[in-house]
Amino acid sequence: MSIFKSLAIIFVLVVSFIPRSESAISCSVVIQDLQPCVSYLTSGSGQPPDTCCDGVRSLAAATTTSADKKAACQCIKSVSNSVTVKPENAQALASSCGASLPVDASSTVDCTTVG
């Protein structure tokens, strides 16, 4: 099964379990923004692709409230638990793209400290 099909299945499962809030960013937006980063996060090296960085910057711009940051964190953590992500790529993703995300794209992030 391709990574994209796996992410689609994971997305459906994640969206089913994430509490919905009118003020928080949706998991579908988070996944849409970070989808171009999957190859880089799982097996890439060096600089992330431009399309990935465009998504990272878009996500950074969309996560301005505490509710947005917590929702994005929960989504990223859920998806990262289902995909093997290179920790060094997850930690460096935002800074490599010249952006600031509320969390690393990692399954080990503590979403209770995001805000």
Side-chain angles (χ1 to χ4, degrees):
M1 186 179 324
S2 76
I3 289 178
F4 297 115
K5 287 181 183 177
S6 297
L7 282 178
I9 292 168
I10 293 166
F11 167 73
V12 171
L13 293 173
V14 168
V15 170
S16 301
F17 293 105
I18 290 183
R20 288 168 180 80
S21 170
E22 293 299 320
S23 63
I25 191 170
S26 72
C27 193
S28 63
V29 170
V30 175
I31 290 172
Q32 179 181 339
D33 285 341
L34 295 182
Q35 187 275 332
C37 301
V38 172
S39 292
Y40 171 76
L41 289 170
T42 57
S43 61
S45 62
Q47 241 351 72
D50 289 341
T51 54
C52 170
C53 287
D54 290 344
V56 169
R57 286 188 287 273
S58 176
L59 181 58
T63 52
T64 58
T65 68
S66 181
D68 288 334
K69 292 173 185 178
K70 286 182 187 293
C73 180
Q74 289 293 347
C75 181
I76 290 168
K77 185 171 184 164
S78 295
V79 172
S80 294
N81 276 326
S82 304
V83 179
T84 304
V85 173
K86 291 172 82 175
E88 62 276 12
N89 288 3
Q91 291 172 352
L93 180 62
S95 61
S96 294
C97 291
S100 176
L101 289 178
V103 296
D104 293 337
S106 164
S107 63
T108 60
V109 65
D110 181 1
C111 294
T112 63
T113 63
V114 175

